[in-house]
Coordinates of all heavy atoms in Angstrom, one line a residue:
N1 N 96.1 126.9 99.2 CA 95.2 125.9 98.7 C 95.8 124.6 98.7 O 97.1 124.4 98.5 CB 94.6 126.3 97.4 CG 94.8 125.5 96.2 OD1 95.4 124.5 96.2 ND2 94.1 126.0 95.1
Y2 N 95.2 123.5 99.1 CA 95.9 122.4 99.4 C 96.3 121.6 98.2 O 97.3 121.0 98.1 CB 94.9 121.3 100.3 CG 94.5 122.0 101.5 CD1 93.2 122.4 101.9 CD2 95.4 122.1 102.6 CE1 92.8 123.0 103.0 CE2 95.1 122.6 103.8 CZ 93.8 123.0 103.9 OH 93.4 123.7 105.2
M3 N 95.5 121.7 97.1 CA 95.9 121.0 95.8 C 97.2 121.7 95.3 O 98.1 121.1 94.9 CB 94.8 121.2 94.9 CG 93.6 120.3 95.2 SD 92.2 120.5 94.1 CE 92.9 119.7 92.7
G4 N 97.3 123.0 95.4 CA 98.6 123.7 94.9 C 99.7 123.5 95.7 O 100.8 123.2 95.2
Q5 N 99.6 123.2 97.0 CA 100.7 122.8 98.0 C 101.1 121.4 97.5 O 102.4 121.1 97.4 CB 100.2 122.9 99.4 CG 101.4 122.6 100.4 CD 100.9 122.7 101.8 OE1 99.7 122.8 102.1 NE2 101.8 122.4 102.7
A6 N 100.2 120.5 97.4 CA 100.5 119.2 96.9 C 101.3 119.1 95.5 O 102.4 118.4 95.4 CB 99.3 118.2 96.8
S7 N 100.8 119.8 94.6 CA 101.3 120.0 93.4 C 102.9 120.5 93.5 O 103.8 119.9 92.8 CB 100.7 120.9 92.4 OG 101.3 121.1 91.2
R8 N 103.0 121.5 94.2 CA 104.5 122.0 94.5 C 105.3 121.1 95.1 O 106.6 120.8 94.7 CB 104.4 123.3 95.4 CG 104.0 124.5 94.6 CD 104.1 125.7 95.3 NE 103.4 125.8 96.5 CZ 102.1 126.1 96.8 NH1 101.4 126.4 95.8 NH2 101.6 126.1 98.0
I9 N 104.9 120.2 96.0 CA 105.7 119.2 96.7 C 106.1 118.1 95.9 O 107.3 117.7 95.8 CB 105.0 118.7 98.1 CG1 105.0 119.9 99.1 CG2 105.7 117.5 98.5 CD1 104.1 119.6 100.3
V10 N 105.1 117.5 95.1 CA 105.5 116.3 94.2 C 106.0 116.8 92.9 O 106.4 115.9 92.0 CB 104.3 115.4 94.1 CG1 103.8 114.9 95.4 CG2 103.2 116.0 93.3
G11 N 105.8 118.1 92.5 CA 106.3 118.5 91.2 C 105.1 118.6 90.2 O 104.2 117.6 90.2
P12 N 104.9 119.6 89.5 CA 103.7 119.9 88.6 C 103.6 118.7 87.5 O 102.5 118.3 87.3 CB 103.9 121.2 87.9 CG 105.0 121.9 88.7 CD 105.8 120.8 89.5
T13 N 104.8 118.2 87.0 CA 104.6 117.1 86.0 C 104.1 115.8 86.7 O 103.2 115.2 86.1 CB 106.1 116.9 85.4 OG1 106.5 118.0 84.8 CG2 106.0 115.9 84.4
N14 N 104.6 115.5 87.8 CA 104.0 114.3 88.6 C 102.6 114.5 88.9 O 101.8 113.6 88.8 CB 105.0 114.0 89.8 CG 106.3 113.7 89.5 OD1 106.5 112.9 88.5 ND2 107.2 114.2 90.1
W15 N 102.3 115.7 89.4 CA 100.9 116.0 89.8 C 99.9 115.8 88.6 O 98.9 115.2 88.7 CB 100.8 117.4 90.4 CG 99.4 117.9 90.7 CD1 98.6 118.6 90.0 CD2 98.7 117.6 92.0 NE1 97.4 118.8 90.7 CE2 97.4 118.2 91.8 CE3 99.0 116.7 93.1 CZ2 96.5 118.0 92.9 CZ3 98.1 116.6 94.0 CH2 96.9 117.3 94.0
N16 N 100.3 116.4 87.5 CA 99.5 116.3 86.4 C 99.3 114.9 85.7 O 98.3 114.6 85.0 CB 100.0 117.3 85.2 CG 99.9 118.7 85.6 OD1 99.0 119.0 86.3 ND2 100.8 119.5 85.1
A17 N 100.2 114.0 86.1 CA 100.2 112.6 85.6 C 99.2 111.7 86.5 O 98.9 110.6 86.1 CB 101.6 112.0 85.6
L18 N 98.9 112.2 87.6 CA 97.9 111.5 88.4 C 96.5 111.6 88.1 O 96.0 112.7 87.4 CB 98.0 112.1 90.0 CG 99.3 112.0 90.6 CD1 99.3 112.7 91.9 CD2 99.9 110.7 90.7
N19 N 95.7 110.6 88.3 CA 94.3 110.6 88.1 C 93.7 111.4 89.2 O 94.2 111.8 90.2 CB 93.7 109.3 87.8 CG 93.6 108.5 89.0 OD1 93.3 108.8 90.2 ND2 94.0 107.1 88.8
D20 N 92.3 111.7 89.1 CA 91.6 112.5 90.0 C 91.5 111.8 91.3 O 91.6 112.6 92.4 CB 90.2 112.7 89.5 CG 89.9 113.6 88.4 OD1 90.9 114.4 88.1 OD2 88.9 113.5 87.7
N21 N 91.4 110.5 91.5 CA 91.4 109.9 92.8 C 92.8 110.0 93.5 O 92.9 110.2 94.7 CB 91.0 108.4 92.7 CG 89.6 108.3 92.3 OD1 88.7 109.1 92.5 ND2 89.2 107.0 91.9
Q22 N 93.9 109.9 92.7 CA 95.0 110.0 93.3 C 95.4 111.5 93.8 O 96.0 111.7 94.9 CB 96.2 109.6 92.3 CG 96.1 108.1 91.9 CD 97.0 107.8 90.8 OE1 97.1 108.4 89.8 NE2 97.4 106.5 90.8
R23 N 95.0 112.5 93.0 CA 95.2 113.9 93.5 C 94.2 114.0 94.8 O 94.8 114.7 95.7 CB 94.7 114.7 92.4 CG 95.7 114.9 91.2 CD 95.3 116.1 90.4 NE 95.7 115.7 89.0 CZ 94.9 115.4 88.0 NH1 93.6 115.3 88.2 NH2 95.3 115.0 86.8
A24 N 93.1 113.4 94.7 CA 92.3 113.6 96.0 C 92.9 113.0 97.1 O 92.7 113.6 98.4 CB 90.9 112.9 95.7
A25 N 93.5 111.9 97.1 CA 94.1 111.2 98.2 C 95.3 112.0 98.7 O 95.5 112.3 100.0 CB 94.6 109.8 97.8
L26 N 96.1 112.7 97.8 CA 97.2 113.5 98.2 C 96.7 114.8 98.8 O 97.2 115.3 99.7 CB 98.2 113.8 97.1 CG 98.9 112.7 96.5 CD1 99.9 113.2 95.4 CD2 99.6 111.9 97.6
T27 N 95.7 115.4 98.3 CA 95.0 116.6 98.8 C 94.5 116.3 100.2 O 94.7 117.1 101.1 CB 93.9 117.2 97.9 OG1 94.4 117.3 96.6 CG2 93.3 118.3 98.4
D28 N 93.8 115.2 100.4 CA 93.4 114.7 101.8 C 94.5 114.6 102.7 O 94.4 115.0 103.9 CB 92.6 113.5 101.7 CG 91.9 113.1 103.0 OD1 91.0 113.9 103.4 OD2 92.3 112.2 103.6
E29 N 95.6 114.0 102.3 CA 96.8 113.9 103.1 C 97.3 115.3 103.5 O 97.7 115.5 104.7 CB 97.8 113.2 102.4 CG 99.2 113.0 103.1 CD 99.3 111.9 104.2 OE1 98.3 111.3 104.5 OE2 100.4 111.7 104.7
I30 N 97.4 116.1 102.6 CA 97.9 117.6 102.9 C 96.9 118.3 103.9 O 97.3 119.0 104.8 CB 98.0 118.4 101.6 CG1 99.1 117.9 100.8 CG2 98.1 119.8 101.9 CD1 100.5 118.5 101.1
Y31 N 95.7 118.1 103.6 CA 94.6 118.8 104.6 C 94.7 118.3 105.9 O 94.7 119.0 106.9 CB 93.2 118.5 103.8 CG 92.1 118.9 104.9 CD1 91.8 120.2 104.8 CD2 91.5 118.1 105.8 CE1 90.7 120.8 105.6 CE2 90.4 118.5 106.5 CZ 90.0 119.9 106.5 OH 89.1 120.4 107.3
N32 N 94.9 116.9 106.1 CA 95.0 116.3 107.4 C 96.5 116.5 108.1 O 96.4 116.5 109.4 CB 94.6 114.9 107.4 CG 93.1 114.8 107.2 OD1 92.4 115.1 108.1 ND2 92.7 114.4 105.9
R33 N 97.4 116.4 107.3 CA 98.9 116.4 108.0 C 99.7 117.5 107.6 O 100.8 117.6 108.1 CB 99.4 115.0 107.5 CG 98.7 113.8 107.9 CD 99.3 112.6 107.7 NE 100.4 112.4 108.8 CZ 101.2 111.5 108.9 NH1 101.3 110.7 107.9 NH2 101.8 111.4 110.0
G34 N 99.3 118.2 106.6 CA 100.2 119.4 106.2 C 101.2 118.7 105.2 O 101.2 117.6 104.9
G35 N 102.0 119.5 104.7 CA 103.0 119.1 103.6 C 104.0 118.1 104.1 O 104.5 117.2 103.3
G36 N 104.1 117.9 105.4 CA 105.1 117.0 106.0 C 104.7 115.5 105.7 O 105.5 114.6 105.7
G37 N 103.3 115.3 105.5 CA 102.9 114.0 105.3 C 103.4 113.5 103.8 O 103.6 112.3 103.7
L38 N 103.7 114.4 102.9 CA 104.1 113.9 101.6 C 105.7 113.8 101.6 O 106.1 113.1 100.7 CB 103.8 114.9 100.6 CG 102.3 115.1 100.3 CD1 102.0 116.1 99.2 CD2 101.5 113.8 100.2
T39 N 106.4 114.3 102.6 CA 107.8 114.3 102.5 C 108.3 113.3 103.7 O 109.6 113.0 103.7 CB 108.4 115.7 102.7 OG1 108.0 116.2 104.0 CG2 108.1 116.5 101.5
M40 N 107.4 112.8 104.6 CA 107.8 111.9 105.7 C 108.3 110.7 105.0 O 107.8 110.1 104.3 CB 106.6 111.7 106.6 CG 106.9 110.7 107.8 SD 105.4 110.5 108.7 CE 104.9 112.1 109.1
N41 N 109.5 110.2 105.7 CA 110.1 109.0 105.3 C 109.5 107.8 105.9 O 108.9 107.8 107.0 CB 111.6 109.0 105.6 CG 112.4 109.3 104.4 OD1 112.0 109.0 103.3 ND2 113.6 109.8 104.6
S42 N 109.5 106.7 105.2 CA 109.1 105.4 105.6 C 110.0 104.3 105.1 O 110.9 104.7 104.3 CB 107.6 105.1 105.2 OG 107.7 104.7 103.8
P43 N 109.9 103.2 105.4 CA 110.8 102.0 104.7 C 110.5 102.0 103.2 O 111.5 101.6 102.5 CB 110.2 100.8 105.3 CG 109.7 101.1 106.7 CD 109.1 102.5 106.4
Y44 N 109.5 102.6 102.7 CA 109.2 102.6 101.3 C 109.5 104.1 100.7 O 109.2 104.2 99.5 CB 107.6 102.4 101.0 CG 107.2 101.1 101.7 CD1 106.5 101.1 102.8 CD2 107.5 99.8 101.1 CE1 106.0 100.0 103.5 CE2 107.1 98.7 101.9 CZ 106.4 98.7 103.0 OH 105.9 97.7 103.6
G45 N 110.2 104.8 101.4 CA 110.6 106.2 101.1 C 109.4 107.2 101.4 O 108.5 106.9 102.2
S46 N 109.5 108.3 100.8 CA 108.4 109.3 100.9 C 107.5 109.3 99.8 O 107.8 108.8 98.7 CB 109.0 110.8 101.2 OG 109.6 111.2 100.0
I47 N 106.3 109.9 100.0 CA 105.3 110.0 98.9 C 105.9 110.9 97.8 O 105.9 110.5 96.6 CB 104.0 110.6 99.3 CG1 103.3 109.6 100.4 CG2 103.0 110.9 98.3 CD1 102.1 110.1 101.0
S48 N 106.4 112.1 98.2 CA 107.0 112.8 97.0 C 108.1 112.2 96.3 O 108.3 112.3 95.2 CB 107.5 114.3 97.7 OG 108.4 114.0 98.7
G49 N 109.0 111.6 97.2 CA 110.1 110.8 96.6 C 109.7 109.6 95.6 O 110.3 109.4 94.5
A50 N 108.7 108.9 96.0 CA 108.1 107.8 95.2 C 107.6 108.4 93.8 O 107.8 107.8 92.8 CB 106.9 107.1 96.0
L51 N 107.0 109.6 93.9 CA 106.5 110.1 92.6 C 107.5 110.7 91.8 O 107.6 110.5 90.7 CB 105.4 111.2 93.0 CG 104.1 110.7 93.6 CD1 103.2 111.7 94.1 CD2 103.4 109.7 92.7
R52 N 108.5 111.3 92.4 CA 109.6 112.0 91.7 C 110.5 110.9 91.2 O 111.2 111.3 90.1 CB 110.4 113.0 92.6 CG 109.6 114.2 92.9 CD 110.3 115.1 93.8 NE 109.7 116.2 94.3 CZ 109.6 117.4 93.5 NH1 110.3 117.5 92.3 NH2 108.9 118.4 93.9
S53 N 110.6 109.8 91.7 CA 111.5 108.7 91.1 C 110.7 107.6 90.2 O 111.3 106.7 89.8 CB 112.1 108.0 92.3 OG 111.2 107.2 93.1
G54 N 109.5 108.0 90.0 CA 108.7 107.1 89.1 C 108.2 105.7 89.7 O 108.0 104.8 89.1
H55 N 107.8 105.8 91.0 CA 107.4 104.7 91.7 C 106.0 105.0 92.4 O 105.8 104.8 93.6 CB 108.4 104.2 92.8 CG 109.6 103.8 92.2 ND1 110.7 104.5 91.9 CD2 109.9 102.4 91.6 CE1 111.6 103.9 91.4 NE2 111.3 102.6 91.2
P56 N 105.0 105.4 91.6 CA 103.7 105.7 92.3 C 103.0 104.6 92.9 O 102.2 104.9 93.8 CB 102.9 106.2 91.0 CG 103.4 105.6 89.8 CD 104.9 105.5 90.1
N57 N 103.3 103.3 92.5 CA 102.6 102.2 93.2 C 103.1 102.1 94.7 O 102.4 101.4 95.4 CB 103.0 100.9 92.5 CG 102.2 101.0 91.1 OD1 101.2 101.6 90.9 ND2 102.8 100.2 90.2
N58 N 104.2 102.8 95.2 CA 104.6 102.7 96.5 C 103.8 103.6 97.4 O 103.8 103.5 98.6 CB 106.1 103.1 96.7 CG 107.0 102.2 96.1 OD1 106.6 101.0 95.7 ND2 108.3 102.4 96.2
V59 N 103.0 104.6 96.8 CA 102.3 105.6 97.5 C 101.2 105.0 98.6 O 101.2 105.2 99.8 CB 101.6 106.6 96.7 CG1 100.6 107.6 97.5 CG2 102.7 107.5 95.9
P60 N 100.5 103.9 98.1 CA 99.6 103.4 99.1 C 100.2 102.7 100.3 O 99.7 102.7 101.4 CB 98.7 102.2 98.3 CG 98.8 102.8 96.8 CD 100.2 103.6 96.8
L61 N 101.4 102.1 99.9 CA 102.2 101.4 101.0 C 102.7 102.4 102.0 O 102.6 102.2 103.2 CB 103.4 100.6 100.4 CG 103.0 99.5 99.3 CD1 104.3 99.0 98.7 CD2 102.3 98.4 100.1
I62 N 103.1 103.5 101.5 CA 103.6 104.7 102.5 C 102.5 105.2 103.2 O 102.7 105.3 104.4 CB 104.4 105.8 101.6 CG1 105.5 105.2 100.9 CG2 104.6 106.9 102.5 CD1 106.0 106.1 99.7
L63 N 101.3 105.4 102.7 CA 100.2 105.9 103.4 C 99.7 104.9 104.5 O 99.6 105.3 105.6 CB 99.0 106.0 102.4 CG 99.1 107.3 101.5 CD1 98.0 107.2 100.5 CD2 99.0 108.6 102.3
Q64 N 99.8 103.6 104.1 CA 99.3 102.6 105.1 C 100.5 102.5 106.2 O 100.1 102.3 107.5 CB 99.0 101.3 104.5 CG 97.8 101.4 103.7 CD 97.5 100.1 102.9 OE1 98.4 99.6 102.2 NE2 96.3 99.6 102.9
Y65 N 101.7 102.6 105.9 CA 102.7 102.6 106.9 C 102.7 103.7 107.9 O 102.7 103.5 109.1 CB 104.1 102.7 106.1 CG 105.3 102.7 107.3 CD1 105.8 101.6 107.8 CD2 105.8 104.0 107.6 CE1 106.7 101.6 108.9 CE2 106.9 104.0 108.5 CZ 107.3 102.8 109.1 OH 108.2 102.8 110.1
Q66 N 102.4 104.9 107.4 CA 102.2 106.1 108.1 C 101.1 105.9 109.1 O 101.0 106.1 110.3 CB 101.9 107.3 107.3 CG 103.1 107.8 106.6 CD 102.7 109.0 105.7 OE1 101.6 109.3 105.4 NE2 103.7 109.6 105.1
G67 N 99.9 105.2 108.7 CA 98.7 105.0 109.5 C 99.0 104.0 110.6 O 98.4 104.0 111.6
Q68 N 100.0 103.1 110.3 CA 100.2 102.1 111.4 C 100.9 102.7 112.6 O 101.0 102.2 113.7 CB 101.3 101.0 110.8 CG 100.7 100.2 109.8 CD 101.7 99.3 109.2 OE1 102.9 99.4 109.5 NE2 101.2 98.4 108.3
H69 N 101.3 104.0 112.6 CA 102.0 104.7 113.6 C 101.2 105.9 114.1 O 101.7 106.7 114.7 CB 103.4 105.2 113.1 CG 104.3 104.0 112.6 ND1 104.9 103.3 113.5 CD2 104.4 103.6 111.4 CE1 105.6 102.3 112.9 NE2 105.2 102.5 111.6
E70 N 99.9 105.7 113.8 CA 99.0 106.8 114.3 C 97.8 106.2 115.1 O 97.6 104.8 115.0 CB 98.3 107.7 113.2 CG 99.5 108.3 112.4 CD 98.9 109.0 111.1 OE1 98.1 108.4 110.5 OE2 99.3 110.2 111.0
A71 N 96.9 106.9 115.8 CA 95.8 106.4 116.5 C 94.9 105.8 115.4 O 94.9 106.1 114.3 CB 95.1 107.5 117.3
A72 N 94.0 105.0 116.0 CA 93.1 104.1 115.1 C 92.2 104.9 114.0 O 92.3 104.7 112.9 CB 92.2 103.3 115.9
P73 N 91.6 106.2 114.5 CA 90.8 107.0 113.6 C 91.8 107.4 112.4 O 91.4 107.4 111.2 CB 90.3 108.0 114.4 CG 90.2 107.5 115.8 CD 91.5 106.7 115.8
L74 N 93.0 107.9 112.8 CA 93.9 108.3 111.6 C 94.4 107.2 110.8 O 94.7 107.3 109.6 CB 95.0 109.1 112.3 CG 94.6 110.3 113.0 CD1 95.8 111.1 113.8 CD2 93.9 111.3 112.2
A75 N 94.7 106.1 111.4 CA 95.1 104.9 110.6 C 93.9 104.5 109.5 O 94.2 104.2 108.5 CB 95.3 103.7 111.6
R76 N 92.7 104.5 110.0 CA 91.6 104.3 109.1 C 91.6 105.3 108.0 O 91.4 105.1 106.7 CB 90.3 104.2 109.7 CG 90.0 103.0 110.6 CD 88.5 103.0 111.1 NE 88.3 104.0 112.0 CZ 88.4 104.0 113.2 NH1 89.0 103.0 113.9 NH2 87.9 105.0 114.1
R77 N 91.9 106.5 108.3 CA 92.0 107.7 107.2 C 93.1 107.4 106.3 O 93.0 107.4 105.0 CB 92.3 109.0 107.9 CG 92.2 110.2 106.8 CD 92.3 111.5 107.5 NE 91.2 111.8 108.3 CZ 90.0 112.2 107.8 NH1 89.9 112.5 106.5 NH2 89.0 112.6 108.5
R78 N 94.2 106.9 106.7 CA 95.4 106.5 105.8 C 95.0 105.4 104.9 O 95.3 105.4 103.8 CB 96.7 106.2 106.6 CG 97.2 107.3 107.4 CD 97.8 108.6 106.7 NE 96.9 109.6 106.4 CZ 96.4 110.4 107.3 NH1 96.6 110.6 108.6 NH2 95.5 111.2 106.9
D79 N 94.3 104.4 105.5 CA 93.7 103.3 104.7 C 92.9 103.7 103.6 O 92.9 103.3 102.5 CB 93.2 102.2 105.5 CG 94.2 101.4 106.4 OD1 95.4 101.3 106.0 OD2 93.7 100.7 107.4
A80 N 92.0 104.6 103.9 CA 91.0 105.2 103.0 C 91.7 106.0 101.9 O 91.3 105.7 100.6 CB 90.0 106.1 103.7
E81 N 92.6 106.7 102.3 CA 93.4 107.5 101.2 C 94.2 106.4 100.3 O 94.3 106.6 99.0 CB 94.6 108.3 101.9 CG 94.0 109.5 102.6 CD 94.9 110.2 103.5 OE1 96.0 109.7 103.9 OE2 94.6 111.2 104.0
A82 N 94.8 105.2 100.9 CA 95.5 104.3 100.1 C 94.5 103.6 99.2 O 94.7 103.4 97.9 CB 96.1 103.3 100.9
D83 N 93.2 103.3 99.7 CA 92.2 102.7 98.8 C 91.8 103.6 97.7 O 91.6 103.2 96.6 CB 91.0 102.3 99.6 CG 91.2 101.2 100.6 OD1 92.2 100.5 100.3 OD2 90.4 100.9 101.5
L84 N 91.7 105.0 97.9 CA 91.3 105.9 97.0 C 92.4 106.0 96.0 O 92.1 106.1 94.8 CB 91.1 107.3 97.7 CG 90.7 108.4 96.7 CD1 89.4 108.0 96.0 CD2 90.5 109.7 97.6
W85 N 93.6 105.9 96.4 CA 94.7 106.0 95.4 C 94.7 104.9 94.5 O 94.9 105.1 93.2 CB 96.1 105.9 96.2 CG 97.2 105.9 95.3 CD1 97.9 104.9 94.6 CD2 98.0 107.1 94.8 NE1 99.0 105.5 93.9 CE2 99.0 106.8 93.9 CE3 97.9 108.5 95.2 CZ2 99.9 107.7 93.3 CZ3 98.8 109.4 94.6 CH2 99.8 109.0 93.8
R86 N 94.4 103.7 94.9 CA 94.2 102.5 94.0 C 93.0 102.5 93.1 O 93.1 101.8 92.1 CB 94.3 101.2 94.8 CG 95.6 101.0 95.5 CD 95.5 99.7 96.3 NE 96.7 99.5 97.1 CZ 96.8 99.5 98.4 NH1 95.7 99.8 99.2 NH2 97.9 99.3 99.1
R87 N 92.0 103.2 93.5 CA 90.7 103.2 92.6 C 90.9 103.9 91.5 O 91.4 105.2 91.5 CB 89.6 103.6 93.6 CG 88.2 103.3 93.1 CD 87.2 103.8 94.0 NE 87.4 103.5 95.3 CZ 87.2 104.4 96.4 NH1 86.7 105.5 96.2 NH2 87.4 104.0 97.7
R88 N 90.5 103.4 90.4 CA 90.4 104.2 89.2 C 89.2 105.0 89.0 O 88.2 104.5 89.3 CB 90.7 103.3 88.0 CG 91.9 102.5 87.8 CD 93.2 103.5 87.7 NE 94.4 102.9 88.0 CZ 95.4 103.4 88.6 NH1 95.3 104.6 89.1 NH2 96.6 102.7 88.7
P89 N 89.3 106.1 88.6 CA 88.0 107.0 88.3 C 87.0 106.4 87.2 O 87.5 105.7 86.4 CB 88.5 108.3 88.0 CG 89.9 108.3 87.7 CD 90.4 107.0 88.0

């Protein structure tokens, strides 16, 4: 299950601290890219590293950075995930 995989990668405590939209954004990332999407490095670090180090506001930047290095449809998906992350339920 994609949510369980995301929880294991970012850590259960970090996962439980996220709101529903943030969990949905990470689940979408796992569904589309596998677990590597959460551990892939960028100039802002990795998604899992940002969450584990207490920097959740870096997650949208990381998603958008990843999207800049993909084809246009996938870049739009990363942007949508970043927007969902920022949106409060």
Side-chain angles (χ1 to χ4, degrees):
N1 126 352
Y2 300 109
M3 291 175 72
Q5 186 178 0
S7 174
R8 283 189 301 280
I9 291 170
V10 302
T13 302
N14 297 314
W15 178 258
N16 291 333
L18 301 175
N19 67 45
D20 288 343
N21 288 342
Q22 292 168 330
R23 283 190 216 107
L26 294 186
T27 301
D28 190 65
E29 175 79 354
I30 289 270
Y31 174 80
N32 286 286
R33 302 188 81 185
L38 300 185
T39 58
M40 180 184 300
N41 258 331
S42 77
Y44 308 101
S46 69
I47 292 172
S48 61
L51 294 174
R52 289 178 181 271
S53 65
H55 296 92
N57 291 335
N58 285 354
V59 172
L61 299 172
I62 296 166
L63 288 167
Q64 290 174 316
Y65 176 83
Q66 291 175 349
Q68 292 171 0
H69 302 280
E70 297 177 314
L74 297 175
R76 286 191 296 273
R77 183 176 294 279
R78 300 292 86 78
D79 285 341
E81 291 164 350
D83 290 344
L84 182 59
W85 180 275
R86 291 181 183 111
R87 193 176 318 135
R88 297 293 171 222

